[in-house]
C-alpha cells in the first residue's frame, strides 16, 4: 500500500509537471506566432530590427524545441510510472487471489477434519454402546 501511495504521489507530481510543460509550450508557441507576425509586419523597418526579430524568433524556436523535448521526457516517465503501477496492482491482485485460494483450502480442510472428528466420536459412542450391550 505504501508503494502504491508513493507511486500515486509521483504520478500526481508528473501530471503537474506535464501540465506546466504544456502551458510553457503553449506560451512559447504564442510568442513564436507573435514574432512571426511581427516579422511579416516589418515592411519599412530598419535592417537591425529585422535581424533582432529574426534572432528573437530563432531563440523562441530553440526554447520551444527544448520545452517540447522536456514534455516528451515527462510523458515517457509518466507512462513508465503508470505501467509500473499497473504491474504492481496486478501483482497484488494475484497475491490476494492466491491468499483467498489458500484460505478456502484451509477452510475446506478444517471442515473435513471437523466432519472426521464427528464421525470418530459417533463411532466411539457406538462402540461404547456395543460394549455395554456385550457386558450385559
Amino acid at each position: 500500500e505504501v508503494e502504491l501511495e508513493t507511486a500515486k504521489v509521483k504520478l500526481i507530481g508528473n501530471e503537474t509537471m506535464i501540465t506546466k510543460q504544456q502551458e510553457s509550450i503553449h506560451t512559447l508557441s504564442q510568442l513564436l506566432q507573435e514574432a512571426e507576425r511581427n516579422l511579416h509586419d516589418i515592411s519599412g523597418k530598419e535592417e537591425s530590427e529585422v535581424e533582432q526579430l529574426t534572432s528573437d524568433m530563432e531563440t523562441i524556436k530553440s526554447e520551444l524545441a527544448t520545452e517540447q523535448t522536456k514534455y516528451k521526457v515527462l510523458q515517457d516517465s509518466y507512462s513508465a510510472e503508470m505501467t509500473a503501477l499497473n504491474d504492481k496492482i496486478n501483482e497484488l491482485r494475484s497475491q490476494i487471489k492466491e491468499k483467498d485460494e489458500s484460505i478456502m483450502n484451509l477452510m475446506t480442510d478444517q471442515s473435513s477434519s471437523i466432519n472426521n472428528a464427528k464421525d470418530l466420536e459417533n463411532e466411539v459412542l457406538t462402540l461404547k454402546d456395543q460394549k455395554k450391550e456385550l457386558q450385559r
Side-chain angles (χ1 to χ4, degrees), residues 24-124:
S24 179
I25 288 170
H26 179 72
T27 301
L28 288 170
S29 293
Q30 286 179 328
L31 287 172
L32 180 59
Q33 289 172 356
E34 184 180 330
E36 287 173 341
R37 276 194 304 274
N38 287 341
L39 189 59
H40 290 100
D41 293 341
I42 57 166
S43 58
K45 300 238 179 188
E46 293 182 19
E47 182 83 18
S48 64
E49 287 182 62
V50 172
E51 288 174 4
Q52 183 59 48
L53 286 172
T54 303
S55 173
D56 290 349
M57 190 171 70
E58 292 304 318
T59 300
I60 292 169
K61 279 183 182 178
S62 174
E63 289 175 6
L64 179 59
T66 300
E67 292 300 317
Q68 286 172 328
T69 300
K70 288 179 186 177
Y71 176 74
K72 176 70 173 124
V73 168
L74 278 173
Q75 272 188 323
D76 292 347
S77 173
Y78 179 79
S79 293
E81 290 288 334
M82 284 298 288
T83 299
L85 182 60
N86 283 331
D87 290 347
K88 186 64 178 176
I89 288 169
N90 288 335
E91 179 185 329
L92 290 172
R93 283 182 178 150
S94 176
Q95 289 175 3
I96 289 169
K97 183 179 178 186
E98 288 174 13
K99 298 278 187 205
D100 284 348
E101 289 173 359
S102 176
I103 289 169
M104 291 303 292
N105 288 337
L106 287 172
M107 289 173 66
T108 300
D109 291 348
Q110 182 183 23
S111 177
S112 178
S113 294
I114 289 170
N115 288 336
N116 287 341
K118 286 180 182 177
D119 290 345
L120 286 173
E121 184 180 355
N122 288 336
E123 199 173 316
V124 166

